Amino acid sequence: MALLQPDTARIGHTSGKPAEDRVPDERVFGTPRELREALSKLIGGDQVLHRAIDLIRYASDASPYRLIPQVVVTPRTTRDVVALLKYCRENGRHATFRAAGTSLCGQAQSDDILIDVRKHWYGMSLADGGSLLRARPGVILGHASTFLRKHGRRLGPDPASINACTIGGVIANNSGGMRCKIERNAYNTVRSMTLVLASGTVIDTAQPDAEAALMRSEPELAQGLLKLRAELIADRPLTDRIRHKFMIRNTNGYRLDALLDADTPLEIFRRLVVGSEGTLAFIAEAVIDTLPTPGATCVTWIPLPSMDEAVALVPGLVSLGAEAVELMMAPALTAAVQAFPGTPHYWMTLDPKAAALLVEFTAADDAALDHIEAAAHALTANANLLQPLDFTRDAKAMEIDWRVREGLIGIIGKGRPDGSALVNEDVCFPPARIAEGAQDLQALLTKHGFLPGVAGHAAFGNLHFTLTPRLEDPADRARYSAFMDELVELVIDKYDGSLKAEHGTGRNMAPFVRREWGDKATEMMWRIKRLADPYGVLAPDCVLTRDEGIHLQRFKSSPAIDGSEATRCIECGMCEPVCPSRNVTMTPRQRIVVRREMARQPNDSLMFAQLLKDYEYDGIQTCAADGSCAEPCPVSINTGTLVKSFRQRENTDGREKVALAIAKRWNSVETIARMAVGVTDFISRTVGVRALTGLTAVARAALSKDLVPSVPGPMPQKAPGRLPQTSRQGAAAVYFPACINRIFGRARGMARRPSLPEALVALSARAGQPLWIPDNVRGLCCSTPWSSKGYRLGHEWMATAIADAMWDWSNAGALPVVIDAVSCTHGLLDDVRTHIDRERQERFNKIELVDAIVWVHRLLPSLPIERKLGSAAVHPTCSMIHLGLEEKFIEIARAVADDVIVPIGTTCCGTAGDRGLLHPELVVSATREEKAYLDAHPADVYLSANRTCEMGLQQATGKPYESFIFALEETTRLDGAAR
């Protein structure tokens, strides 16, 4: 162990008994060598993930199942996919495609070869003037929506997982959503696709000769599809049955109506691929019809005493053109009051039998929307409303309303019993019978001891419900099995509905496809599967299976981990798109998944020891611990908090003493660091960054990669040694320049002066609100560098020191204190107050801490803009978002520039204080999509609000990011000096 390295063994073993579903020690070396070497030769070793920790982190999706793959591969090209499928055919293996892993029925799992088609399959563009979107399968649906919104367009599907699921997954599952009418789903809006068939054939269905190419390369498939079409057309009762079944939402089995909707083999097959869950072909690219974005939108809740009364209004609301009509029961709304600030208080008093409809209307403009609102009032005039209709067009208010609807799974997830799974199911009834169907469904849930809550897309007859069984318990498995059997009888026999409406078939419903469709239709589906995949290469037992009990096999246990909130993780994957390390090591979900596997293991197992060893870098060192994962998480888990606790437990007494000594001597450290920045800048300019990186690598190897920073790119200039002269007399506020702005100056190539403190002092004086910088600010810090690494003693010492200093500076809270780095503001508000004694807490709470974003936003009315810039690309940092300052930051940017751009894919930059300097690969991972957007859409200036973030962003993207304060100070100068 190198000097001052963390002691990984101190993390220890989560208490609990070894689980039956633990991965055996025989798998400790991961992928069998022969398989690993063969695939490495085919597509490259860096694209083959083979360690046990890799296989385990990919073993779970959002379903209750868990399959451990033999290997995980991350192909980069269509040629790679062709090679992998050829290997499967020749060696009797099978493969499953996985994108976001938000699948709810086990579609994204494999016990053989798992193919990750998210990591290297990102990219999109507009076609035909914006009426078409061309996208690769790894594009996140939310990114596509943002991209299209700038052009006044949108996509039809809008599932609740929009900010995590990918285009490929949406098409593969024919996903729906709140506003997705049948004519807007993927089946009806995908125009063309580039497909890789199980045979290795690659076909772009948009090419003029594509039909002929299919006939030449796949004659059995082409002729077989035509034969099936002829048989179906000749069977009028079955034809009518299929048409009837797809009049409502249905994703159970294959789209047999493709045989009726097209008359050529390729067009039939293209349609069959939609909703086939990766069992017929790989979608390498898709071209999708887009829709115009509405000019105006409004939302309202319609609460009524009973579900019957609520559902009775649905047809009328649909006839008025409602975009969405969502049904929720009173218990869920009552729970939502505690979970979501800003919800109506009357929800607390609702009778449990009450229900409410969340209704959204859209129109071309506000005037047209006025007429629709008036019609809705007239429609409900005689209804027994519990509250009057209260339409809102405010974007924030509408966002809260939709968050309540989408957050239902989180409410249940937080409150579920320890050790229980979360099974999220959906069925579809004929819309005219939704009230009756909902009542029967609630009765069935109650009969089997499950929560009777249902919710869903009332306009479509599509209801969702959640089960929380302990699936490792044989009695609960039997209860779950009995419920599923009776659910099938209810939906199929009584209502002739569909067993899956928008979640796909997967392992969970595959045994019931025949029950819903009958023998002849199901055998047609099997023939389609054999024609497209004669060797059974693609995702066996998904969509179609011969094993009638497969839905009761390979459940995952849910052991408690570390006594933390992470135990509540439902493994949905919503956190993954915002995680800085998503493209280099692990995501929050995967950190929890692997820690759960450790909990399943005996303390002395070889597997536990190996996972613990690999977890140090993958799980701990490369976690930014920025807390961004808590924002999209349905159960609000901050995995960074868990990782910080690991770091604290890893710290030895020696590390703690060193950290405390550094805290006490921070003034000297700061001086040395500022000098080092100057020396580093000089060396990098004279001998080059690469040579300097080599020198730091030696120190990192000898001491610790988690303590000694690297030099991943050009370093900034050092900050001036002296802070600007200010006066306490007449000051409007105290100014605490963060230590990062006392150490790091402006980017290389920029003017050294003004420094950031000089710019903010000048700007404030210009607005008539002078600032005072105390003489003793040096040597003091927000304490975040210690808290993020888990150094308890250093954190407590610095937190006490800064709290005492701010009490004195502010004259016992009489003056506000301005901080010029938003991560430091966040640290002061979030960490400091929890690590000081009660007396200091009471004093600290009396001090108004003001981030520079808030301070400058207050100054704006007093700062006439002398000239505006053309465009500004802005990066809202994770701390900014945690503090709710993103809108103010963007408003400031709009005062500076005519066009303000938030690049698509912008998340936490991964710098996380000094974490990005310790592990620069983290910043590259975090900014991959952001860099791609900036390369295609450059701006005049690049603005953020945290110096280390700006440094990381510049090194990763090549763009000169600086504080927004510089841009505003320059554009408000009376001399109008050019930038």
Side-chain angles (χ1 to χ4, degrees):
M1 177 185 289
L3 179 64
L4 295 181
Q5 285 285 26
D7 184 359
T8 307
R10 290 167 64 99
I11 294 177
H13 188 275
T14 297
S15 60
K17 298 179 180 179
E20 291 184 5
D21 65 333
R22 67 182 180 273
V23 181
D25 278 349
E26 303 90 82
R27 306 281 313 263
V28 71
F29 298 111
T31 301
R33 186 179 68 179
E34 183 180 354
L35 176 60
R36 181 179 75 241
E37 291 177 350
L39 296 183
S40 295
K41 287 179 181 178
L42 278 181
I43 63 173
D46 61 336
Q47 292 167 232
V48 179
L49 306 179
H50 57 83
R51 300 173 302 161
I53 196 171
D54 296 323
L55 309 184
I56 289 167
R57 68 188 173 99
Y58 273 95
S60 298
D61 58 13
S63 76
Y65 304 102
R66 190 171 75 125
L67 277 67
I68 311 298
Q70 292 290 316
V71 66
V72 178
V73 290
T74 59
R76 294 177 179 272
T77 65
T78 300
R79 182 178 298 176
D80 288 344
V81 176
V82 170
L84 289 168
L85 296 183
K86 179 181 179 183
Y87 179 83
C88 288
R89 293 194 309 275
E90 293 177 349
N91 292 274
R93 309 201 74 112
H94 59 265
T96 299
F97 300 111
R98 176 190 177 107
T102 55
S103 310
L104 293 163
C105 302
Q107 302 97 307
Q109 298 184 23
S110 175
D111 57 3
D112 197 0
I113 298 175
L114 188 66
I115 303 178
D116 180 335
V117 293
R118 180 195 65 86
K119 189 171 185 180
H120 300 306
W121 295 82
Y122 191 92
M124 57 185 160
S125 61
L126 288 179
D128 197 18
S131 65
L132 297 174
L133 174 73
R134 182 182 298 275
R136 303 186 82 202
V139 172
I140 294 170
L141 186 60
H143 290 185
S145 296
T146 301
F147 178 63
L148 288 170
R149 195 178 303 125
K150 295 176 180 295
H151 302 277
R153 309 294 292 182
R154 59 174 170 158
L155 291 175
D158 65 329
S161 58
I162 186 171
N163 291 318
C165 66
T166 66
I167 292 286
V170 167
I171 297 172
N173 289 284
N174 197 23
S175 305
M178 281 62 120
R179 306 165 186 85
C180 186
K181 300 173 183 177
I182 287 177
E183 60 269 21
R184 296 180 183 173
N185 65 17
Y187 181 81
N188 288 298
T189 58
V190 170
R191 179 76 63 88
S192 67
M193 291 185 279
T194 299
L195 301 174
V196 181
L197 278 63
S199 63
T201 296
V202 179
I203 290 188
D204 178 354
T205 67
Q207 292 302 309
D209 63 342
E211 286 283 0
L214 181 71
M215 190 68 75
R216 287 193 305 270
S217 59
E218 303 286 341
E220 291 185 13
L221 172 60
Q223 292 166 9
L225 292 176
L226 290 176
K227 183 178 180 181
L228 278 167
R229 171 178 161 80
E231 290 179 20
L232 181 55
I233 291 174
D235 189 337
R236 184 56 182 270
L238 184 55
T239 298
D240 293 342
R241 172 82 176 144
I242 289 169
R243 289 296 190 198
H244 172 74
K245 290 287 288 179
F246 286 112
M247 288 177 67
I248 63 173
R249 288 185 171 185
N250 192 327
T251 59
N252 201 27
Y254 293 140
R255 293 288 309 223
L256 291 179
D257 53 343
L259 296 165
L260 304 172
D261 293 336
D263 56 10
T264 62
L266 184 60
E267 279 303 293
I268 292 171
F269 188 66
R270 179 182 67 77
R271 287 168 168 80
L272 282 168
V273 168
V274 178
S276 66
E277 301 171 34
T279 64
L280 299 181
F282 168 59
I283 304 166
E285 187 177 71
V287 178
I288 311 166
D289 288 324
T290 66
L291 308 170
T293 301
T297 303
C298 67
V299 164
T300 189
W301 288 95
I302 306 179
L304 293 129
S306 69
M307 181 170 57
D308 285 352
E309 291 175 90
V311 172
L313 291 176
V314 172
L317 294 167
V318 171
S319 70
L320 293 179
E323 278 282 290
V325 183
E326 296 294 303
L327 173 69
M328 288 189 72
M329 301 304 296
L333 296 176
T334 301
V337 174
Q338 303 297 327
F340 303 102
T343 51
H345 291 293
Y346 76 84
W347 287 358
M348 291 290 293
T349 62
L350 288 174
D351 185 280
K353 294 180 181 179
L357 299 173
L358 175 60
V359 184
E360 179 178 282
F361 289 106
T362 61
D365 51 41
D366 285 328
L369 205 56
D370 290 339
H371 290 295
I372 294 174
E373 286 188 15
H377 279 286
L379 176 71
T380 58
N382 297 320
N384 190 17
L385 299 180
L386 299 179
Q387 287 284 322
L389 266 61
D390 183 18
F391 283 99
T392 181
R393 303 183 191 184
D394 179 75
K396 273 190 173 182
M398 290 191 290
E399 181 182 351
I400 291 173
D401 290 337
W402 283 112
R403 193 178 300 169
V404 169
R405 167 61 188 91
E406 295 165 0
L408 181 60
I409 189 173
I411 294 171
I412 298 172
K414 285 181 181 179
R416 75 188 193 278
D418 291 342
S420 63
L422 196 72
V423 183
N424 193 357
E425 280 296 345
D426 77 318
V427 295
C428 198
F429 299 103
R433 302 183 67 186
I434 188 174
E436 183 186 358
Q439 288 174 344
D440 283 345
L441 181 54
Q442 285 182 307
L444 184 62
L445 288 162
T446 301
K447 174 184 175 180
H448 290 278
F450 294 117
L451 293 171
V454 297
H457 317 306
F460 311 122
N462 181 190
L463 293 179
H464 297 254
F465 56 94
T466 305
L467 314 175
T468 56
R470 290 185 175 88
L471 292 171
E472 67 269 27
D473 179 352
D476 249 21
R477 275 203 304 275
R479 178 169 67 110
Y480 174 72
S481 177
F483 170 82
M484 290 297 290
D485 289 341
E486 291 192 40
L487 176 69
V488 171
E489 292 178 9
L490 174 69
V491 175
I492 299 303
D493 294 343
K494 183 172 181 178
Y495 291 97
D496 195 20
S498 48
L499 292 172
K500 299 300 296 182
E502 56 179 352
H503 292 173
T505 309
R507 297 174 61 84
N508 198 36
M509 206 55 75
F512 303 106
V513 169
R514 187 176 297 273
R515 183 72 172 77
E516 176 167 345
W517 284 99
D519 290 338
K520 185 168 183 179
T522 304
E523 284 308 312
M524 281 188 163
M525 294 181 189
W526 274 109
R527 287 167 64 187
I528 290 167
K529 171 66 171 171
R530 287 191 293 269
L531 286 168
D533 184 19
Y535 292 92
V537 166
L538 299 177
D541 292 320
C542 183
V543 180
L544 297 176
T545 183
R546 302 293 187 189
D547 186 346
E548 295 184 358
I550 199 169
H551 64 302
L552 302 175
Q553 303 167 21
R554 302 197 184 187
F555 288 127
K556 61 188 173 191
S557 59
S558 299
I561 53 173
D562 302 287
S564 74
E565 63 180 6
T567 292
R568 296 292 174 202
C569 176
I570 59 178
E571 299 183 10
C572 62
M574 299 296 181
C575 56
E576 294 191 335
V578 303
C579 177
S581 58
R582 63 190 177 274
N583 294 314
V584 65
T585 53
M586 286 185 174
T587 64
R589 167 169 62 177
Q590 293 174 338
R591 288 182 170 90
I592 293 171
V593 162
V594 172
R595 189 59 177 162
R596 278 180 170 159
E597 182 56 38
M598 291 187 207
R600 295 184 185 103
Q601 295 289 330
N603 196 26
D604 58 351
S605 77
L606 295 175
M607 181 62 71
F608 173 75
Q610 186 63 46
L611 291 178
L612 195 62
K613 177 184 176 182
D614 292 336
Y615 199 72
E616 174 59 31
Y617 173 76
D618 287 31
I620 298 176
Q621 288 191 23
T622 52
C623 176
D626 61 292
S628 293
C629 47
E631 296 292 327
C633 175
V635 281
S636 305
I637 296 171
N638 184 341
T639 310
T641 301
L642 175 65
V643 171
K644 286 181 182 179
S645 74
F646 290 153
R647 290 174 183 165
Q648 184 170 333
R649 283 152 65 177
E650 284 185 327
N651 287 332
T652 61
D653 291 343
R655 285 169 62 91
E656 282 283 3
K657 288 177 182 177
V658 169
L660 177 60
I662 290 173
K664 290 181 176 180
R665 296 166 179 80
W666 193 242
N667 196 348
S668 299
V669 171
E670 184 183 322
T671 301
I672 294 170
R674 188 167 56 254
M675 293 173 60
V677 170
V679 172
T680 302
D681 179 40
F682 174 77
I683 294 175
S684 65
R685 282 185 284 108
T686 54
V687 303
V689 173
R690 182 174 296 181
L692 184 59
T693 300
L695 293 173
T696 59
V698 175
R700 284 161 61 79
L703 295 171
S704 169
K705 290 183 179 180
D706 204 34
L707 288 175
V708 179
S710 66
V711 181
M715 292 296 287
Q717 305 172 71
K718 70 176 182 179
R722 292 184 179 182
L723 293 168
Q725 292 291 319
T726 56
S727 173
R728 181 167 191 165
Q729 186 171 2
V734 180
Y735 173 21
F736 174 56
C739 61
I740 56 174
N741 291 321
R742 304 193 303 259
I743 295 171
F744 298 107
R746 300 186 72 172
R748 186 190 301 177
M750 296 291 188
R752 187 164 182 256
R753 311 297 279 269
S755 65
L756 182 63
E758 290 168 345
L760 185 55
V761 166
L763 198 62
S764 300
R766 198 171 296 160
Q769 298 291 311
L771 296 173
W772 169 59
I773 302 175
D775 294 334
N776 59 338
V777 295
R778 295 197 184 279
L780 292 170
C781 172
C782 66
S783 80
T784 299
W786 290 269
S787 68
S788 66
K789 295 182 180 64
Y791 293 127
R792 181 180 56 83
L793 298 179
H795 184 200
E796 291 177 353
W797 191 91
M798 186 59 78
T800 298
I802 190 65
D804 288 345
M806 285 188 168
W807 180 250
D808 292 336
W809 297 338
S810 67
N811 191 19
L815 282 177
V817 179
V818 177
I819 303 101
D820 63 3
V822 69
S823 67
C824 299
T825 308
H826 186 220
L828 288 163
L829 291 169
D830 190 50
D831 276 341
V832 167
R833 69 172 76 247
T834 60
H835 286 78
I836 51 181
D837 58 44
R838 181 171 298 179
E839 180 182 352
R840 285 187 172 90
Q841 283 182 8
E842 291 177 356
R843 296 191 319 198
F844 197 71
N845 289 336
K846 295 177 182 178
I847 304 171
E848 182 188 3
L849 300 181
V850 183
D851 186 77
I853 295 171
V854 177
W855 177 254
V856 169
H857 190 266
R858 293 176 184 174
L859 301 181
L860 274 182
S862 303
L863 290 169
I865 304 297
E866 295 297 314
R867 58 186 183 82
K868 291 190 78 170
L869 302 170
S871 61
V874 299
H875 182 97
T877 70
C878 50
S879 294
M880 191 188 303
I881 293 169
H882 286 314
L883 294 175
L885 302 181
E886 185 178 4
E887 286 190 16
K888 285 185 171 62
F889 173 61
I890 291 175
E891 285 180 28
I892 295 170
R894 285 178 179 146
V896 169
D898 293 320
D899 184 24
V900 174
I901 305 162
V902 181
I904 294 171
T906 297
T907 61
C908 170
C909 68
T911 306
D914 63 354
R915 185 62 43 181
L917 295 175
L918 298 169
H919 299 286
E921 67 275 21
L922 184 60
V923 187
V924 174
S925 165
T927 58
R928 190 182 73 170
E929 291 83 7
E930 186 173 6
K931 180 182 185 304
Y933 189 88
L934 289 172
D935 288 344
H937 305 86
D940 294 329
V941 290
Y942 301 86
L943 310 178
S944 194
N946 216 73
R947 190 68 192 102
T948 51
C949 295
E950 293 151 11
M951 290 163 54
L953 285 164
Q954 179 165 6
Q955 289 163 357
T957 69
K959 310 300 181 184
Y961 273 91
E962 285 204 304
S963 171
F964 68 97
I965 292 169
F966 288 117
L968 186 62
E969 192 276 329
E970 291 179 14
T971 56
T972 57
R973 284 184 196 168
L974 294 178
D975 61 6
R979 187 174 180 78

